[in-house]
Amino acid sequence: MLFLNPRATRADYPAELSAIMNIAQAHQSREWLSSWRGIHPNATPLYDLPDAAARCQVGRLCLKDESVRSPLGSFKALGAPIALVRQILRLHPDFEPAAILTGRYAEALRGYTVISATDGNHGRALAAAAQDAGCRCVIVLHAHVSPEREQAIAAYGADIVRIAGNYDESVQEAARLAAAHGWQVIADTSYDGYEDIPRDVMQGYGAIAEEIVEQTSAQRGMAGAFTHVFLQGGVGGMAAGLASYFWEYHGPQRPCFISVEPAQADCLLQSAIQGRPAKATGTVDSVMAGLACGETSPLAWRFLQPCVDAFMTIEDEQAIEAMRSLAQGSERDTPIVAGESGVAGLAALEWLRSDPQRSEQVGLTAESRVLIISTEGATAPREYTRLVGQSAEQVLQRQQAWQAAHSLQTQLA
């Protein structure tokens, strides 16, 4: 389904939104995380995919590969950890921010407990950050989180609580446990009276946009390298973190933003239709586990409603086909390990370009320059192998061979 947002504007970034999230805070978050061992020091790759661009009949297609952001395998390494740092600073303003995740203050934090619900990646990132900071972490998992993802979280020392319900019910359970035990919720979705920490999570994701601006030599206040940017939906945090940065940086010359989510977890699309934060109409259960969210984050919606130009949904099978396509690579496109949620942008682009009318609605043409974000790699390796038909290790071996061959060709040329 595709819904064009009648409330999207092309004005300057509003001052009331800048007071909540801004480029300066995104940059500071990136700097504070740079000394954490859970983050690789260099920017993640921005791959040109000329063969995929030709197949989709666009002028350029680039993919930002967040699978190599961290040993955690996803962009979530930018969100929960920085939110934990900022929350600890509220309690201990004398702490050095960049030293918190090095364990310098572990003794002082020994009695501190943080908790969150998760579909997998957020909880894993919070568990890793809490372990390095020296505090206790409790993670609430719902019925659809695989044992493989649970084991990956528990490996970082988190205590696991299982519930029988869905993601939104796990959010409620995390809030209940926190209130009962005096623990601190570090969540990526907001609710009434709880906005500061979700804001910090979203602000951390701005590092992705900052790197893209640097990698494309974009100029502030001018149109950038891309005409269209596809952003994963979920509760809206990642989309808000990136869209707000690009909007502030490019102003009225910002790219067209398109939000993508599973058909059965369409809370953002429903929010756009209703003009307010809304719930999904489907079962929420999707192979795209990271996007299987039933309720929009009200705070994220404040940023998305005025700047996302189109909201759309895709089917699970489309995501699986996109995973296989990226894993295969081609003569001019490097093979890429992209997880179930990471391929949403490519699946959406392919669906839009398969119909001239849909393409026209969002302004996609043969000259369009498109950015997609692969938000995760094989964060559930067995599931990845089952869906793609080959392991992540096999794809990475072919990627290395492809890159070595093309590096040699470049040198010979």
Side-chain angles (χ1 to χ4, degrees):
M1 186 174 177
L2 173 65
F3 180 78
L4 301 182
N5 181 16
R7 300 173 182 85
T9 65
R10 285 195 172 271
D12 287 321
Y13 188 55
E16 60 270 24
L17 295 184
S18 179
I20 302 171
M21 281 205 299
N22 55 69
I23 287 173
Q25 291 290 312
H27 180 73
Q28 184 183 63
S29 296
R30 183 183 175 194
E31 286 192 323
W32 285 358
L33 284 179
S34 63
S35 59
W36 181 39
R37 66 174 182 169
I39 292 281
H40 291 147
N42 299 324
T44 56
L46 183 64
Y47 292 121
D48 255 306
L49 303 176
D51 284 338
R55 186 175 71 250
C56 294
Q57 301 178 66
V58 294
R60 186 185 186 190
L61 176 59
C62 288
L63 179 146
K64 181 72 164 165
D65 185 6
E66 288 298 299
S67 72
V68 295
R69 170 70 61 189
S70 157
L72 301 168
S74 86
F75 79 107
K76 295 283 188 173
L78 293 168
I82 194 62
L84 177 61
V85 168
R86 291 189 181 277
Q87 174 57 25
I88 289 172
L89 286 173
R90 293 185 184 101
L91 303 174
H92 303 278
D94 56 322
F95 283 8
E96 182 183 338
I100 290 174
L101 296 182
T102 68
R104 182 187 296 180
Y105 307 108
E107 187 61 35
L109 297 172
R110 193 172 303 281
Y112 191 55
T113 299
V114 295
I115 184 172
S116 184
T118 188
D119 280 310
N121 290 338
H122 174 81
R124 190 179 180 188
L126 179 60
Q131 184 180 66
D132 285 349
C135 56
R136 181 186 176 211
C137 180
V138 178
I139 298 295
V140 182
L141 302 179
H142 59 86
H144 302 298
V145 177
S146 69
E148 186 176 18
R149 293 185 187 277
E150 176 180 343
Q151 292 162 12
I153 296 169
Y156 288 96
D159 295 324
I160 306 297
V161 175
R162 274 281 186 178
I163 68 161
N166 61 24
Y167 172 76
D168 300 298
E169 290 167 316
S170 69
V171 171
Q172 295 167 9
E173 178 63 8
R176 187 192 71 79
L177 288 171
H181 298 285
W183 299 340
Q184 178 62 55
V185 176
I186 305 290
D188 55 358
T189 188
S190 65
Y191 43 86
D192 187 33
Y194 182 78
E195 289 194 342
D196 287 349
I197 289 172
R199 183 269 321 279
D200 295 339
V201 172
M202 294 191 296
Q203 190 75 86
Y205 300 150
I208 301 171
E210 184 168 87
E211 288 180 2
I212 292 167
V213 162
E214 293 170 356
Q215 289 168 315
T216 58
S217 302
Q219 299 298 308
R220 190 157 187 160
M222 300 176 64
F226 304 105
T227 59
H228 294 73
V229 177
F230 287 78
L231 298 168
Q232 281 84 338
V235 300
M238 176 265 197
L242 270 69
S244 64
Y245 190 107
F246 286 132
W247 187 6
E248 181 179 354
Y249 193 85
H250 296 293
Q253 301 299 312
R254 67 166 179 81
C256 171
F257 296 124
I258 301 174
S259 166
V260 189
E261 57 196 336
Q264 59 271 50
D266 60 345
C267 60
L268 294 187
L269 185 143
Q270 292 301 322
S271 299
I273 293 172
Q274 298 176 37
R276 58 178 175 80
K279 296 183 179 181
T281 57
T283 64
V284 184
D285 184 21
S286 169
V287 71
M288 293 169 272
L291 305 181
C293 306
E295 296 188 31
T296 298
S297 168
L299 178 61
W301 187 245
R302 291 175 62 180
F303 293 84
L304 300 180
Q305 180 172 257
C307 77
V308 173
D309 300 280
F311 293 83
M312 61 175 290
T313 59
I314 57 172
E315 302 292 339
D316 282 3
E317 199 54 46
Q318 292 172 289
I320 295 169
E321 285 302 313
M323 290 173 69
R324 293 169 179 166
S325 174
L326 287 173
Q328 186 60 36
S330 64
E331 181 180 348
R332 295 187 296 165
D333 295 357
T334 184
I336 295 171
V337 175
E340 304 85 50
S341 299
V343 298
L346 177 59
L349 174 63
E350 291 175 332
W351 182 76
L352 289 171
R353 293 302 280 152
S354 69
D355 181 270
Q357 184 176 3
R358 291 194 293 255
S359 291
E360 184 178 358
Q361 286 180 293
V362 296
L364 280 168
T365 70
E367 286 75 45
S368 296
R369 305 180 305 279
V370 179
L371 171 67
I372 58 178
I373 315 292
S374 179
T375 51
E376 64 176 3
T379 52
R382 288 193 293 273
E383 180 72 354
Y384 180 90
T385 301
R386 184 183 73 82
L387 295 174
V388 176
Q390 55 186 311
S391 69
E393 289 74 17
Q394 290 173 307
V395 177
L396 288 174
Q397 287 173 2
R398 291 193 295 103
Q399 182 188 83
Q400 292 167 3
W402 186 97
Q403 293 177 353
H406 282 70
S407 176
L408 179 60
Q409 289 176 11
T410 301
Q411 293 173 19
L412 294 175

